[in-house]
Short mmCIF file of all heavy atoms in Angstrom, two decimals:
data_model
loop_
_atom_site.label_atom_id
_atom_site.label_comp_id
_atom_site.label_asym_id
_atom_site.label_seq_id
_atom_site.Cartn_x
_atom_site.Cartn_y
_atom_site.Cartn_z
N ASP A 896 123.74 85.98 106.61
CA ASP A 896 124.57 86.94 107.32
C ASP A 896 124.44 86.71 108.84
O ASP A 896 123.33 86.75 109.36
CB ASP A 896 124.16 88.39 107.00
CG ASP A 896 124.55 88.76 105.59
OD1 ASP A 896 125.57 88.25 105.13
OD2 ASP A 896 123.86 89.58 104.97
N VAL A 897 125.53 86.44 109.46
CA VAL A 897 125.50 86.31 110.90
C VAL A 897 125.31 87.72 111.53
O VAL A 897 126.03 88.64 111.16
CB VAL A 897 126.79 85.67 111.43
CG1 VAL A 897 126.81 85.57 112.93
CG2 VAL A 897 126.97 84.28 110.81
N SER A 898 124.39 87.82 112.46
CA SER A 898 124.08 89.11 113.08
C SER A 898 124.17 89.02 114.56
O SER A 898 124.44 87.94 115.13
CB SER A 898 122.66 89.60 112.61
OG SER A 898 121.71 88.73 113.14
N ALA A 899 123.88 90.12 115.23
CA ALA A 899 123.92 90.17 116.66
C ALA A 899 122.81 89.28 117.26
O ALA A 899 121.76 89.04 116.64
CB ALA A 899 123.71 91.60 117.17
N SER A 900 123.05 88.79 118.47
CA SER A 900 122.12 87.89 119.13
C SER A 900 120.87 88.59 119.62
O SER A 900 120.90 89.78 120.00
CB SER A 900 122.79 87.26 120.35
OG SER A 900 121.87 86.57 121.14
N ARG A 901 119.75 87.90 119.55
CA ARG A 901 118.51 88.39 120.13
C ARG A 901 118.20 87.75 121.46
O ARG A 901 117.26 88.17 122.15
CB ARG A 901 117.32 88.19 119.17
CG ARG A 901 117.34 89.11 117.95
CD ARG A 901 116.03 89.01 117.21
NE ARG A 901 115.80 87.66 116.68
CZ ARG A 901 114.77 87.34 115.90
NH1 ARG A 901 113.90 88.27 115.57
NH2 ARG A 901 114.66 86.10 115.47
N SER A 902 118.91 86.69 121.82
CA SER A 902 118.62 86.04 123.08
C SER A 902 119.86 85.57 123.80
O SER A 902 119.82 84.63 124.59
CB SER A 902 117.67 84.83 122.85
OG SER A 902 118.34 83.86 122.05
N GLY A 903 121.02 86.20 123.50
CA GLY A 903 122.23 85.85 124.25
C GLY A 903 123.02 84.74 123.68
O GLY A 903 124.13 84.47 124.12
N GLN A 904 122.47 83.98 122.67
CA GLN A 904 123.18 82.91 122.05
C GLN A 904 123.66 83.33 120.67
O GLN A 904 123.31 84.40 120.20
CB GLN A 904 122.29 81.67 121.92
CG GLN A 904 121.68 81.22 123.25
CD GLN A 904 120.84 79.99 123.08
OE1 GLN A 904 121.30 78.98 122.54
NE2 GLN A 904 119.60 80.08 123.51
N GLN A 905 124.51 82.51 120.05
CA GLN A 905 124.91 82.81 118.68
C GLN A 905 123.67 82.85 117.82
O GLN A 905 122.89 81.90 117.77
CB GLN A 905 125.92 81.78 118.17
CG GLN A 905 126.41 82.19 116.76
CD GLN A 905 127.31 81.08 116.15
OE1 GLN A 905 127.40 80.00 116.68
NE2 GLN A 905 127.99 81.43 115.09
N GLN A 906 123.46 83.96 117.10
CA GLN A 906 122.17 84.16 116.43
C GLN A 906 122.42 84.44 114.96
O GLN A 906 123.52 84.64 114.50
CB GLN A 906 121.42 85.35 117.06
CG GLN A 906 121.07 85.10 118.54
CD GLN A 906 119.72 84.45 118.69
OE1 GLN A 906 118.77 84.84 118.01
NE2 GLN A 906 119.62 83.50 119.57
N GLN A 907 121.35 84.55 114.25
CA GLN A 907 121.40 84.65 112.77
C GLN A 907 120.30 85.61 112.31
O GLN A 907 119.17 85.54 112.79
CB GLN A 907 121.14 83.26 112.20
CG GLN A 907 121.12 83.17 110.67
CD GLN A 907 122.54 83.22 110.15
OE1 GLN A 907 123.48 82.82 110.83
NE2 GLN A 907 122.71 83.73 108.99
N SER A 908 120.61 86.51 111.42
CA SER A 908 119.57 87.33 110.79
C SER A 908 118.67 86.41 109.97
O SER A 908 119.09 85.42 109.42
CB SER A 908 120.17 88.39 109.90
OG SER A 908 120.87 87.81 108.83
N SER A 909 117.36 86.70 109.97
CA SER A 909 116.40 85.79 109.40
C SER A 909 116.54 85.69 107.91
O SER A 909 116.48 86.72 107.24
CB SER A 909 115.00 86.18 109.79
OG SER A 909 114.07 85.37 109.15
N PRO A 910 116.67 84.49 107.34
CA PRO A 910 116.63 84.36 105.87
C PRO A 910 115.21 84.20 105.38
O PRO A 910 114.99 83.91 104.18
CB PRO A 910 117.41 83.07 105.66
CG PRO A 910 117.13 82.24 106.87
CD PRO A 910 116.97 83.22 108.01
N PHE A 911 114.24 84.36 106.23
CA PHE A 911 112.82 84.10 105.89
C PHE A 911 112.08 85.37 105.65
O PHE A 911 112.38 86.40 106.24
CB PHE A 911 112.14 83.31 107.04
CG PHE A 911 112.84 82.05 107.44
CD1 PHE A 911 113.68 82.02 108.54
CD2 PHE A 911 112.68 80.90 106.69
CE1 PHE A 911 114.32 80.85 108.92
CE2 PHE A 911 113.32 79.73 107.07
CZ PHE A 911 114.16 79.73 108.14
N PRO A 912 110.97 85.30 104.89
CA PRO A 912 110.06 86.45 104.78
C PRO A 912 109.29 86.62 106.10
O PRO A 912 109.31 85.74 106.97
CB PRO A 912 109.16 86.01 103.61
CG PRO A 912 109.14 84.53 103.64
CD PRO A 912 110.54 84.17 104.08
N PRO A 913 108.60 87.75 106.26
CA PRO A 913 107.80 87.94 107.48
C PRO A 913 106.73 86.85 107.58
O PRO A 913 106.30 86.25 106.61
CB PRO A 913 107.17 89.33 107.25
CG PRO A 913 108.02 90.01 106.24
CD PRO A 913 108.57 88.93 105.37
N THR A 914 106.29 86.63 108.82
CA THR A 914 105.19 85.67 109.05
C THR A 914 103.90 86.20 108.46
O THR A 914 103.80 87.41 108.15
CB THR A 914 104.98 85.51 110.57
OG1 THR A 914 104.56 86.76 111.14
CG2 THR A 914 106.27 85.02 111.26
N PRO A 915 102.91 85.33 108.27
CA PRO A 915 101.62 85.83 107.72
C PRO A 915 101.06 86.97 108.57
O PRO A 915 100.50 87.91 107.99
CB PRO A 915 100.74 84.57 107.78
CG PRO A 915 101.68 83.45 107.67
CD PRO A 915 102.91 83.88 108.38
N GLN A 916 101.15 86.88 109.90
CA GLN A 916 100.62 87.93 110.71
C GLN A 916 101.31 89.26 110.44
O GLN A 916 100.72 90.34 110.33
CB GLN A 916 100.68 87.57 112.20
CG GLN A 916 99.79 86.40 112.60
CD GLN A 916 100.41 85.06 112.28
OE1 GLN A 916 101.56 84.97 111.93
NE2 GLN A 916 99.63 84.01 112.45
N GLN A 917 102.67 89.22 110.36
CA GLN A 917 103.45 90.45 110.12
C GLN A 917 103.14 90.98 108.75
O GLN A 917 103.00 92.21 108.59
CB GLN A 917 104.94 90.12 110.26
CG GLN A 917 105.38 89.77 111.68
CD GLN A 917 106.79 89.22 111.70
OE1 GLN A 917 107.28 88.67 110.74
NE2 GLN A 917 107.46 89.37 112.85
N GLN A 918 103.03 90.12 107.74
CA GLN A 918 102.72 90.58 106.39
C GLN A 918 101.40 91.30 106.37
O GLN A 918 101.27 92.37 105.74
CB GLN A 918 102.71 89.38 105.40
CG GLN A 918 104.07 88.81 105.12
CD GLN A 918 103.93 87.66 104.13
OE1 GLN A 918 103.02 86.86 104.21
NE2 GLN A 918 104.88 87.58 103.23
N TRP A 919 100.40 90.75 107.01
CA TRP A 919 99.06 91.36 107.00
C TRP A 919 99.04 92.69 107.69
O TRP A 919 98.51 93.66 107.19
CB TRP A 919 98.05 90.41 107.61
CG TRP A 919 96.63 90.91 107.55
CD1 TRP A 919 95.83 91.22 108.61
CD2 TRP A 919 95.87 91.19 106.38
NE1 TRP A 919 94.60 91.65 108.15
CE2 TRP A 919 94.61 91.65 106.78
CE3 TRP A 919 96.14 91.12 105.01
CZ2 TRP A 919 93.62 92.00 105.87
CZ3 TRP A 919 95.14 91.46 104.10
CH2 TRP A 919 93.90 91.90 104.57
N GLN A 920 99.72 92.79 108.85
CA GLN A 920 99.76 94.03 109.57
C GLN A 920 100.48 95.10 108.76
O GLN A 920 100.08 96.27 108.74
CB GLN A 920 100.49 93.83 110.91
CG GLN A 920 99.69 92.96 111.87
CD GLN A 920 100.54 92.47 113.06
OE1 GLN A 920 101.73 92.82 113.15
NE2 GLN A 920 99.94 91.72 113.94
N GLN A 921 101.52 94.73 108.00
CA GLN A 921 102.30 95.71 107.24
C GLN A 921 101.59 96.13 105.97
O GLN A 921 101.86 97.20 105.41
CB GLN A 921 103.66 95.09 106.90
CG GLN A 921 104.55 94.84 108.12
CD GLN A 921 105.72 93.95 107.79
OE1 GLN A 921 105.95 93.61 106.65
NE2 GLN A 921 106.50 93.62 108.82
N SER A 922 100.74 95.25 105.46
CA SER A 922 100.22 95.46 104.09
C SER A 922 98.75 95.86 103.98
O SER A 922 98.32 96.34 102.95
CB SER A 922 100.46 94.16 103.26
OG SER A 922 101.80 93.79 103.29
N GLN A 923 97.98 95.60 105.04
CA GLN A 923 96.54 95.80 104.91
C GLN A 923 96.20 97.24 104.58
O GLN A 923 95.42 97.52 103.66
CB GLN A 923 95.84 95.45 106.23
CG GLN A 923 94.32 95.51 106.17
CD GLN A 923 93.66 95.07 107.47
OE1 GLN A 923 94.33 95.00 108.49
NE2 GLN A 923 92.38 94.77 107.42
N GLN A 924 96.79 98.21 105.26
CA GLN A 924 96.52 99.62 105.01
C GLN A 924 96.98 100.01 103.60
O GLN A 924 96.26 100.72 102.87
CB GLN A 924 97.21 100.49 106.07
CG GLN A 924 96.88 101.96 105.93
CD GLN A 924 97.51 102.81 107.05
OE1 GLN A 924 98.14 102.24 107.93
NE2 GLN A 924 97.32 104.11 106.98
N LYS A 925 98.16 99.57 103.22
CA LYS A 925 98.66 99.90 101.90
C LYS A 925 97.81 99.32 100.78
O LYS A 925 97.53 99.99 99.77
CB LYS A 925 100.10 99.39 101.75
CG LYS A 925 100.76 99.69 100.41
CD LYS A 925 100.90 101.17 100.18
CE LYS A 925 101.65 101.47 98.86
NZ LYS A 925 101.72 102.92 98.60
N LEU A 926 97.35 98.12 100.96
CA LEU A 926 96.49 97.45 99.96
C LEU A 926 95.20 98.25 99.78
O LEU A 926 94.77 98.50 98.64
CB LEU A 926 96.16 96.02 100.40
CG LEU A 926 95.27 95.23 99.49
CD1 LEU A 926 96.01 94.88 98.20
CD2 LEU A 926 94.82 93.95 100.17
N THR A 927 94.57 98.65 100.88
CA THR A 927 93.34 99.41 100.80
C THR A 927 93.60 100.78 100.13
O THR A 927 92.80 101.24 99.27
CB THR A 927 92.78 99.67 102.23
OG1 THR A 927 92.55 98.38 102.82
CG2 THR A 927 91.45 100.43 102.15
N GLN A 928 94.72 101.39 100.45
CA GLN A 928 95.08 102.65 99.84
C GLN A 928 95.26 102.55 98.32
O GLN A 928 94.73 103.36 97.55
CB GLN A 928 96.36 103.19 100.49
CG GLN A 928 96.92 104.48 99.85
CD GLN A 928 98.25 104.82 100.46
OE1 GLN A 928 98.62 104.40 101.55
NE2 GLN A 928 99.04 105.61 99.72
N VAL A 929 95.97 101.50 97.86
CA VAL A 929 96.19 101.32 96.44
C VAL A 929 94.87 101.03 95.71
O VAL A 929 94.60 101.58 94.66
CB VAL A 929 97.24 100.20 96.22
CG1 VAL A 929 97.30 99.82 94.74
CG2 VAL A 929 98.59 100.58 96.71
N LEU A 930 94.07 100.16 96.30
CA LEU A 930 92.78 99.84 95.70
C LEU A 930 91.91 101.08 95.56
O LEU A 930 91.35 101.32 94.48
CB LEU A 930 92.07 98.77 96.51
CG LEU A 930 90.66 98.39 96.04
CD1 LEU A 930 90.71 97.81 94.63
CD2 LEU A 930 90.01 97.40 97.00
N ASN A 931 91.82 101.86 96.59
CA ASN A 931 90.97 103.07 96.52
C ASN A 931 91.49 104.03 95.49
O ASN A 931 90.71 104.70 94.78
CB ASN A 931 90.90 103.75 97.90
CG ASN A 931 90.08 102.93 98.90
OD1 ASN A 931 89.25 102.12 98.50
ND2 ASN A 931 90.36 103.14 100.19
#
Side-chain angles (χ1 to χ4, degrees):
D896 287 331
V897 177
S898 65
S900 170
R901 286 190 298 184
S902 63
Q904 304 182 55
Q905 184 185 12
Q906 298 269 317
Q907 180 77 28
S908 63
S909 174
F911 305 99
T914 64
Q916 292 83 8
Q917 292 169 335
Q918 287 181 321
W919 183 242
Q920 293 166 359
Q921 295 167 4
S922 305
Q923 184 177 18
Q924 184 176 358
K925 180 63 176 177
L926 180 70
T927 303
Q928 175 186 339
V929 171
L930 176 61
N931 290 337

